[in-house]
Amino acid sequence: MGRVTSDTTATDAAAQHAPEPPGAPPVWQRRLRRFGLPGRPQTDVRTRLVPAFPEPSGRLWAVFGAGPEAAARLTRWSAWAGPLLVALFAGVLRFWNLGSPRKVIFDETYYPKDAWSLLQYGYEGTWAKNANDALVGHPPELLLSPEHSYVVHPPMGKWLIALGEGVFGMNPFGWRFMVALLGTLSVLLICRIGRRLLRSTALGCLAGALLAVDGLHFVMSRTALLDLIVMFWVVAAFGCLLVDRDRTRARLAAALPVGPDGLARPDESVGDRLRLGWRPWRIAAGLCLGLSAATKWNGLYYLAAFAVMAVLWDVAARRTAGARRPFRSALRRDVLPAFGATVVVAVATYLASWSGWIATKGGYYRDWATTPEGRTGAWVWVPDWLRSLWHYQTEVYSFHTGLTTPHTYQSNPWSWLVLGRPVSYFYEDPKAGQDGCTVAEGCAREVLALGTPLLWWAACFALLYVLYRWLFQRDWRAGAILCAVAAGYLPWFLYQERTIFLFYAVVFVPFLCLALAMMIGAIIGPPGSTERRRTIGAVGAGVLVLLIAWNFIYFYPLYTGMPIPKSAWHHRMWFDTWV
């Protein structure tokens, strides 16, 4: 088990009264130490900039009879083998019987059909009213015409869905394939991100395993909606920024002078003046954030939050390296490149996602700039396609902000974390002898977008724990997790009059799993704890994880549309609001 500790530790009382070195924290931070805020660590600056990955123990492999060399080799391989095995487990769950139910469920009535239209025309055409039944008929029919239709989401996510349709055909397996693949890959990403973030392969794999058995992520991975695609690009961007952070701090550490004792020393010229150079991982993050916004607009909140977070990481790195004015240094040397690598790259990616609409002439509002209304105004010198696209975006914005049509399964964001109102994507009540029902009382088949309850309720406590770690232990990892959760959750409180749903929360579910893995690491206890403490902690953490796994298995029939007796279905409706 790797260490799960902050990069900072408390100083002793004597050090708190000693003269502060260059780059010392301000007075208000020193005063907060009496409330638990730790002081500046008295360690090698290079170690503070780039904490070493704890050397993993080979004791687990030794138990199975592996020699020291074999145990060391297996331990090294586990850094990738562990995440790959967890991802394989998640993939088997998600792809097993993926084409069931063989129906167009919930908002699959929009995105798979739009995706197929993009393959045919480059823009969204019009489908007949009975197109859903025709798609799953025997034989299936594609009742599509080239007449444009009004759509309110960018095309990137639909292009990805179209890849699966192009390979496997216009059927439930085909339109769900790419979403299931991205759901599986997101589990792999979280394993690797958790390993880098928490400095522990075991905790990284635990975070991925928790995501693999979350009901909401599971259902969304088996349904051709856009929100899981947004989630995948957000997670990828977060991972890219983590790699960029580590590499940037390593560059600063390498430039620091070394004292006679062999330890690196803070240096004002390095902290304030060193240019951090080419940062391809930050550009990759900008690309991923652009792809998230080009799938659904809520990706824009992550673009803003992650861009600010990345700059604050630069400020912290420069302060640790010895900068006297880290904010000013970051403003002069880091903000503009960061803006270009994230915002500019994201905007360019967003525009590129509309290439099909731009290159063709049949899309909705494609020729708006050539109409009498479009030829007036101060911006007539802008290319027609760009003015038409801008007009389209303003109309879509008006639609989203004005969407207040009541829906049976809409919910307030206050209730999301406790799973107050899940969304039913599909429901049937076959009689005995129909659709696999074998009981006289009749059966129920449902696909319910419900997070694994015990996982989500435990994650509520985990969020409080990481909030404590961020505020009082100055743990940047806890702050990063909170930033990612807040960017996907808090903006919805601005639109409480709008029709919104619990499944929007799938975007920040991976970060709930990271928070829970961090809390479980604390329950187990850090290295150096007594054997009794570690044993009790491991037992408690193991019981929690097993209960979460059992909870997923218990609700599995509701996630997959399996026929179960009506009485068994009622037993799983723990709250009236779940019906």
Side-chain angles (χ1 to χ4, degrees):
M1 180 69 67
R3 300 176 69 89
V4 187
T5 57
S6 172
D7 288 347
T8 58
T9 58
T11 57
D12 55 29
Q16 293 184 23
H17 298 287
E20 296 288 354
V27 174
W28 66 271
Q29 285 189 9
R30 298 200 294 272
R31 288 177 177 171
L32 280 176
R33 290 176 188 171
R34 69 188 66 177
F35 300 105
L37 184 72
R40 181 174 297 277
Q42 302 300 310
T43 59
D44 179 25
V45 179
R46 186 169 293 152
T47 302
R48 289 164 53 198
L49 282 169
V50 190
F53 200 101
E55 189 66 29
S57 172
R59 287 186 300 173
L60 174 63
W61 302 110
V63 170
F64 293 100
E69 292 186 7
R73 186 164 55 252
L74 289 170
T75 300
R76 288 195 302 270
W77 289 352
S78 67
W80 272 104
L84 287 172
L85 285 174
V86 174
L88 177 63
F89 166 71
V92 170
L93 284 177
R94 281 149 180 76
F95 280 98
W96 183 265
N97 205 17
L98 181 60
S100 177
R102 186 177 169 77
K103 301 282 187 179
V104 178
I105 64 174
F106 199 61
D107 278 357
E108 285 186 342
T109 191
Y110 302 116
Y111 311 123
K113 293 189 292 186
D114 287 345
W116 184 260
S117 180
L118 289 175
L119 279 179
Q120 309 307 311
Y121 309 125
Y123 62 89
E124 293 86 348
T126 299
W127 292 77
K129 290 185 178 180
N130 60 333
N132 288 355
D133 293 332
L135 282 175
V136 295
H138 301 282
E141 295 183 77
L142 303 176
L143 306 181
L144 172 65
S145 72
E147 178 67 23
H148 59 228
S149 63
Y150 180 56
V151 295
V152 295
H153 292 299
M156 188 62 237
K158 289 170 280 188
W159 277 114
L160 287 174
I161 293 172
L163 290 178
E165 294 173 344
V167 175
F168 299 103
M170 187 57 173
N171 55 69
F173 182 86
W175 66 61
R176 294 169 189 162
F177 176 83
M178 283 302 298
V179 184
L181 179 61
L182 294 180
T184 302
L185 291 177
S186 67
V187 171
L188 176 62
L189 287 176
I190 284 298
C191 289
R192 293 290 297 175
I193 286 170
R195 181 181 185 273
R196 181 177 289 270
L197 191 70
L198 303 178
R199 289 298 195 264
S200 167
T201 299
L203 290 183
C205 290
L206 174 61
L210 291 171
L211 186 61
V213 298
D214 174 64
L216 182 60
H217 186 274
F218 176 73
V219 170
M220 296 297 288
S221 297
R222 293 170 52 89
T223 312
L225 273 64
L226 300 179
D227 300 85
L228 185 125
I229 301 175
V230 177
M231 179 276 304
F232 174 80
W233 294 119
V234 166
V235 168
F238 187 81
C240 290
L241 289 175
L242 278 181
V243 176
D244 173 75
R245 180 186 186 275
D246 284 353
R247 294 195 172 193
T248 299
R249 292 170 76 90
R251 193 172 300 157
L252 281 167
L256 290 174
V258 178
D261 55 0
L263 299 180
R265 297 284 188 256
D267 185 84
E268 181 180 346
S269 62
V270 172
D272 277 324
R273 299 183 180 86
L274 182 69
R275 295 189 180 276
L276 299 178
W278 173 250
R279 301 174 70 170
W281 284 100
R282 180 170 281 185
I283 295 174
L287 175 65
C288 292
L289 291 168
L291 291 170
S292 71
T295 301
K296 285 186 78 172
W297 278 4
N298 54 320
L300 292 172
Y301 293 113
Y302 276 99
L303 172 60
F306 283 3
V308 172
M309 180 180 71
V311 171
L312 291 178
W313 283 352
D314 288 345
V315 171
R318 289 187 178 277
R319 178 187 291 116
T320 302
R324 287 188 176 275
R325 298 178 177 84
F327 279 97
R328 179 186 297 180
S329 300
L331 183 63
R332 294 175 59 186
R333 304 192 184 279
D334 302 327
V335 170
L336 188 58
F339 181 84
T342 53
V343 177
V344 174
V345 169
V347 170
T349 303
Y350 182 86
L351 288 176
S353 73
W354 287 88
S355 296
W357 182 89
I358 294 169
T360 59
K361 290 294 184 181
Y364 204 87
Y365 281 134
R366 177 61 183 86
D367 295 322
W368 174 85
T370 63
T371 65
E373 181 185 1
R375 291 195 185 99
T376 61
W379 300 93
V380 292
W381 54 273
V382 175
D384 288 350
W385 67 267
L386 186 54
R387 285 190 293 125
S388 296
L389 182 61
W390 177 257
H391 178 73
Y392 197 171
Q393 308 308 295
T394 59
E395 292 297 309
V396 168
Y397 178 77
S398 298
F399 170 85
H400 283 306
T401 55
L403 181 61
T404 57
T405 305
H407 192 284
T408 303
Y409 292 105
Q410 71 183 71
S411 59
N412 191 286
W414 286 106
S415 69
W416 287 1
L417 290 179
V418 294
L419 303 173
R421 183 59 170 164
V423 182
S424 180
Y425 287 174
F426 166 81
Y427 181 85
E428 285 183 350
D429 51 355
K431 307 301 181 185
Q434 299 177 350
D435 294 334
C437 182
T438 59
V439 294
E441 65 176 297
C443 296
R445 294 184 65 201
E446 184 170 27
V447 176
L448 186 66
L450 171 73
T452 302
L454 292 184
L455 190 157
W456 281 62
W457 298 338
C460 292
F461 292 97
L463 287 177
L464 294 176
Y465 170 72
V466 295
L467 180 63
Y468 161 77
R469 289 292 298 246
W470 180 52
L471 290 177
F472 293 104
Q473 298 296 319
R474 294 195 298 172
D475 193 328
W476 68 271
R477 301 165 304 171
I481 293 171
L482 288 171
C483 175
V485 173
Y489 184 35
L490 297 184
W492 293 110
F493 287 90
L494 302 174
Y495 304 100
Q496 295 191 60
E497 300 301 322
R498 187 186 184 277
T499 306
I500 54 180
F501 303 91
L502 169 65
F503 67 81
Y504 294 172
V506 73
V507 181
F508 60 82
V509 166
F511 304 101
L512 295 182
C513 295
L514 286 172
L516 187 52
M518 191 174 190
M519 185 181 76
I520 289 174
I523 292 173
I524 294 172
S529 301
T530 64
E531 195 69 25
R532 177 182 174 83
R533 164 70 177 84
R534 299 275 286 182
T535 300
I536 294 174
V539 170
V543 169
L544 175 60
V545 172
L546 289 175
L547 285 174
I548 290 171
W550 164 82
N551 205 212
F552 173 78
I553 295 170
Y554 180 72
F555 284 99
Y556 183 83
L558 298 188
Y559 298 145
T560 57
M562 292 173 56
I564 57 175
K566 276 284 187 68
S567 57
W569 179 85
H570 280 292
H571 290 158
R572 287 165 172 79
M573 295 296 106
W574 287 359
F575 301 100
D576 291 341
T577 56
W578 289 9
V579 179

